[in-house]
Amino acid sequence: MRTNVKGKNVEVPDHLREYAERKLGRFARLVDEQADATVELSLEHHRSVDLSHIVEVALVLDGQPIHSHAAGPTFETAVDNVLDKVERQIVDHKERPRLRARPIEEKQILSRLADGTAERGTERRIVKTKRFAIVPMFEEDAIAAMEELGHRFYVFVNAESEKVAVIYVRDDGNYGMIEPSLGGDYTTGRTRAAGGRRQG
């Protein structure tokens, strides 16, 4: 594995460069020898002494970016800490193999990781909201509307209780209904006889 050790706002002495390169050698059995790794050292004076030395490691493994950082009272300690994190990521990646990117794509990913423009993972979020008018209806009408739309559930206002409810198709082909209750305890609710109304 080829290693590039650099400083962000600090000069990297030879002994520290050699230390980082030697420590990264532990990944030789896990990473392709043609892989590139970037190690960036920085010093943040506004942080506590124990966390002032920052080390970031970025590499691409089978087309997937691996990135982590750690802090410590010395650069050597920070290197040890961050490499423990990177090793766990590499092992996890090896246990979940993915499609390999082309070499040009690997270099682009590594470049983005090195200059800080790569995405630090994706977080699921709400990207679309639908609003619609709810007209009070009976359960039978809600079932008919659900089937007409081809959905497996349907939200409606129950004309009997005047509360919002959800009718849905069960795995056994019958229907179930959810009736939310603010601050209420969960119950299994009422059951119904086949083809009949509510059972007491």
Side-chain angles (χ1 to χ4, degrees):
M1 180 174 64
R2 297 175 299 223
T3 305
N4 175 30
V5 182
K6 62 181 183 177
K8 184 176 182 180
N9 57 359
V10 66
E11 194 71 29
V12 181
D14 290 340
H15 77 274
L16 191 54
R17 188 184 307 276
E18 293 171 0
Y19 182 85
E21 291 175 346
R22 185 173 73 254
K23 286 293 185 176
L24 260 75
R26 65 198 263 192
F27 299 146
R29 61 185 174 81
L30 299 173
V31 179
D32 188 284
E33 62 180 12
Q34 299 301 316
D36 293 303
T38 298
V39 181
E40 184 177 82
L41 287 67
S42 61
L43 193 61
E44 296 190 7
H45 298 287
H46 66 281
R47 303 185 66 163
S48 67
V49 176
D50 289 342
L51 300 175
S52 59
H53 296 73
I54 314 297
V55 176
E56 295 190 49
V57 175
L59 60 93
V60 176
L61 181 62
D62 298 332
Q64 300 299 319
I66 301 292
H67 177 271
S68 191
H69 71 278
T74 66
F75 282 123
E76 288 84 354
T77 301
V79 167
D80 292 341
N81 292 340
V82 73
L83 293 188
D84 287 341
K85 295 181 180 180
V86 171
E87 184 171 29
R88 286 195 295 270
Q89 291 186 47
I90 292 175
V91 172
D92 288 344
H93 172 84
K94 289 293 186 179
E95 292 176 352
R96 297 189 301 272
R98 300 185 175 104
L99 294 176
R100 182 177 178 83
R102 294 186 294 273
I104 185 64
E105 293 174 337
E106 292 188 358
K107 291 185 180 297
Q108 291 172 348
I109 293 172
L110 184 61
S111 176
R112 291 197 299 273
L113 286 170
D115 62 23
T117 59
E119 294 183 5
R120 305 301 190 198
T122 56
E123 181 178 340
R124 292 185 179 181
R125 63 189 188 281
I126 297 174
V127 297
K128 185 175 182 180
T129 300
K130 288 186 177 181
R131 292 183 173 85
F132 56 93
I134 297 180
V135 178
M137 62 178 64
F138 292 100
E139 298 161 12
E140 292 80 3
D141 298 323
I143 292 174
M146 176 179 64
E147 293 180 343
E148 182 178 348
L149 292 171
H151 293 173
R152 292 188 60 82
F153 70 93
Y154 189 78
V155 181
F156 70 105
V157 172
N158 193 321
E160 292 183 6
S161 64
E162 297 184 349
K163 294 182 179 180
V164 174
V166 180
I167 201 85
Y168 63 95
V169 181
R170 291 164 47 91
D171 291 339
D172 60 11
N174 292 311
Y175 301 106
M177 189 165 69
I178 299 172
E179 297 176 317
S181 176
L182 291 177
D185 296 328
Y186 172 80
T187 64
T188 56
R190 297 176 293 265
T191 57
R192 304 163 189 269
R197 300 292 293 172
R198 292 193 179 99
Q199 303 300 305

